[in-house]
Amino acid sequence: MTRSTAAVKRATFVAILVSEFLNLLGAGMASIAVTLTVTTRTAEASTLAVLLAVRTFTSIFFAPFAGVIVDRFHQRHVLLGANGVLTLTVTALFFIVRANHVNFVLIGVVFVVQALADSVAQSLIVSVVRHLANDVDLVRSNSLVYLVQSVPQILAPAIGAWTYAVSGPDIVLGTSLTGLLLSFSLMVVLARGLPVVERGPWQSPFAHVAAGFRFIWSHRGLRRLQLSYSALNFFNGLSAAGLVAYVTRHAGSVGWGSYSAFGGVGLVSGALYMTLRKRPHRADVILPVAQATAAVAGRILLAVPGAHWLWYLGSFGRNAGLQLTGGPMTAIWQRQSPGDALGVVSGCRRLISQGAYPVAVIIGGVSYDWWTTAVSSDGMFFTVLGVAELAAISLWLFGPVRAVFVAADTPVGEQRTGKTDAKAA
């Protein structure tokens, strides 16, 4: 790689990070504005829940086909298309909210389109980082992406809610739209440095998706790793609804705000640490330890009665631990996946790991209500889920999954994993 080529790639990578930040901040503020508008104009929480569930389901279950788009079309065109669609959806929300009568069905349709664009953008980021970053800096580059994605999660709700309270939804959505237009303009000018990725032979979208699932399923270590992630997300979903009720019941709305704020700081801190740390990371150590810390700190500590400050620290520790795993885990999949199928493998991986989450949220809400009635200590509900997470993580300490981690620690990681999987299959 010549110096000029490396400089172009670095500049393109920075431009994409800035665009991602603006997109997430703008979309997050718009989401807050619509959420508050729906909450204000209808007393039914179920309406908002359905709208959010539709968006979540669409983003997750469309992910493999989003990967097909990333693999089969020029990355710059895909990036501009995703940014453009996201901008149009916020424009539509702006006019919907301005109407005297808010059409919830139309908001749902916009949310679906927005989720489709988001799903494409998430698969694209994985592919872009793989082809723009040096292999030795892959973990740090991924962690930097997680850092950039984490900051808007803190800023968007705060800025959006404050602006909504002071000026109303029109200003929030107008500001969001301005940021998205700036992001789109930035990509038009600066995204020319995206590499042209070699593409494999043409397949129908369904055949390409099937190939992505076959790739994951044919590697025993990767398959078990992703099934373990699916279990972790299922247990995380079981706790989602009850967590809000539990913290709010015992610490009040201010306590829930503090809990969320500490969690947001944890996300940023974990990603920042992985971005700044220059020493190599041993995947076989940092991944299981960080996930186990997240389970203990973020779930089991909730069983300590009245120790609200401990809960807040637990929220920080859980999210920081999860962010420590993000960069190394993504790098493993980027190195293992075929270059012409990285997008679809990323989408299939996301569907396997996150597909159970929305269903678990519903089951968890019902289960928590039953638990608080049948069992005296509602804090034990989260202890059980924390222990379940530890059980899922224990699969990482031996066998095929550990072989994947150990292989990732060596310069010939791809070859070693391939040989291990061939023997295990």
Side-chain angles (χ1 to χ4, degrees):
M1 181 187 300
T2 65
R3 180 175 299 179
S4 59
T5 302
V8 169
K9 286 191 172 185
R10 283 196 298 270
T12 305
F13 183 56
V14 171
I16 289 175
L17 289 179
V18 173
S19 174
E20 177 75 353
F21 177 85
L22 293 173
N23 286 341
L24 291 176
L25 183 62
M29 290 175 61
S31 178
I32 288 295
V34 173
T35 297
L36 293 175
T37 300
V38 171
T39 303
T40 301
R41 300 190 185 185
T42 175
E44 298 177 355
S46 58
T47 301
L48 179 60
V50 169
L51 290 174
L52 296 178
V54 165
R55 183 165 59 183
T56 303
F57 269 104
T58 304
S59 180
I60 293 174
F61 285 89
F62 181 72
F65 293 97
V68 174
I69 295 174
V70 172
D71 289 338
R72 289 294 171 257
F73 296 94
H74 194 291
Q75 288 183 332
R76 182 171 184 268
H77 299 159
V78 175
L79 181 63
L80 291 175
N83 284 11
V85 170
L86 186 59
T87 303
L88 290 175
T89 59
V90 174
T91 304
L93 291 175
F94 176 81
F95 288 107
I96 292 173
V97 170
R98 283 179 59 89
N100 293 329
H101 173 68
V102 176
N103 189 323
F104 297 115
V105 174
L106 191 55
I107 291 177
V109 172
V110 174
F111 274 7
V112 167
V113 177
Q114 197 173 67
L116 296 177
D118 175 71
S119 193
V120 172
Q122 293 305 310
S123 292
L124 180 66
I125 287 292
V126 174
S127 179
V128 164
V129 172
R130 179 65 184 105
H131 293 102
L132 288 181
N134 295 325
D135 190 71
V136 293
D137 293 326
L138 202 51
V139 171
R140 294 179 64 198
S141 297
N142 285 313
S143 298
L144 180 57
V145 171
Y146 282 109
L147 176 61
V148 170
Q149 292 174 336
S150 298
V151 175
Q153 294 184 38
I154 301 174
L155 295 181
I159 297 175
W162 180 83
T163 307
Y164 183 96
V166 173
S167 306
D170 290 359
I171 301 299
V172 180
L173 289 166
T175 304
S176 302
L177 186 56
T178 301
L180 290 167
L181 287 172
L182 178 60
S183 170
F184 183 79
S185 302
L186 183 68
M187 287 299 94
V188 170
V189 176
L190 299 177
R192 301 180 184 277
L194 284 176
V196 178
V197 180
E198 181 180 354
R199 298 172 180 85
W202 169 256
Q203 292 177 298
S204 73
F206 293 98
H208 195 51
V209 169
F213 279 116
R214 282 198 303 271
F215 170 80
I216 296 175
W217 221 250
S218 64
H219 290 73
R220 191 178 180 190
L222 296 177
R223 179 178 72 242
R224 289 193 177 184
L225 173 61
Q226 214 53 22
L227 289 176
S228 174
Y229 248 108
S230 179
L232 288 172
N233 277 316
F234 181 78
F235 298 135
N236 189 39
L238 289 179
S239 69
L243 186 63
V244 180
Y246 176 76
V247 176
T248 303
R249 177 182 302 169
H250 294 280
S253 57
V254 175
W256 172 249
S258 300
Y259 186 90
S260 301
F262 272 84
V265 174
L267 287 175
V268 173
S269 299
L272 183 62
Y273 171 80
M274 293 298 288
T275 302
L276 297 179
R277 182 177 170 85
K278 296 183 179 181
R279 294 181 59 187
H281 303 85
R282 288 188 56 185
D284 60 319
V285 174
I286 194 169
L287 290 171
V289 169
Q291 281 283 353
T293 300
V296 173
R299 292 294 176 258
I300 296 179
L301 288 181
L302 288 170
V304 181
H308 300 164
W309 63 272
L310 197 59
W311 300 353
Y312 306 153
L313 291 179
S315 178
F316 171 88
R318 177 177 177 83
N319 284 2
L322 294 178
Q323 284 290 64
L324 291 180
T325 68
M329 189 67 73
T330 303
I332 286 175
W333 286 90
Q334 288 168 326
R335 289 171 175 142
Q336 297 295 325
S337 303
D340 60 355
L342 181 55
V344 76
V345 170
S346 176
C348 294
R349 170 198 172 203
R350 184 183 178 196
L351 177 56
I352 293 172
S353 63
Q354 299 180 14
Y357 180 84
V359 178
V361 171
I362 299 173
I363 297 174
V366 176
S367 300
Y368 179 77
D369 289 339
W370 169 84
W371 185 282
T372 55
T373 302
V375 182
S376 58
S377 174
D378 50 354
M380 287 300 297
F381 178 78
F382 302 101
T383 298
V384 172
L385 293 179
V387 172
E389 288 187 7
L390 290 176
I393 298 165
S394 67
L395 298 175
W396 298 8
L397 302 179
F398 52 86
V401 176
R402 184 169 179 80
V404 171
F405 294 161
V406 172
D409 295 328
T410 68
V412 290
E414 295 179 54
Q415 298 176 6
R416 288 188 57 186
T417 303
K419 293 179 180 179
T420 302
D421 291 330
K423 293 179 180 178

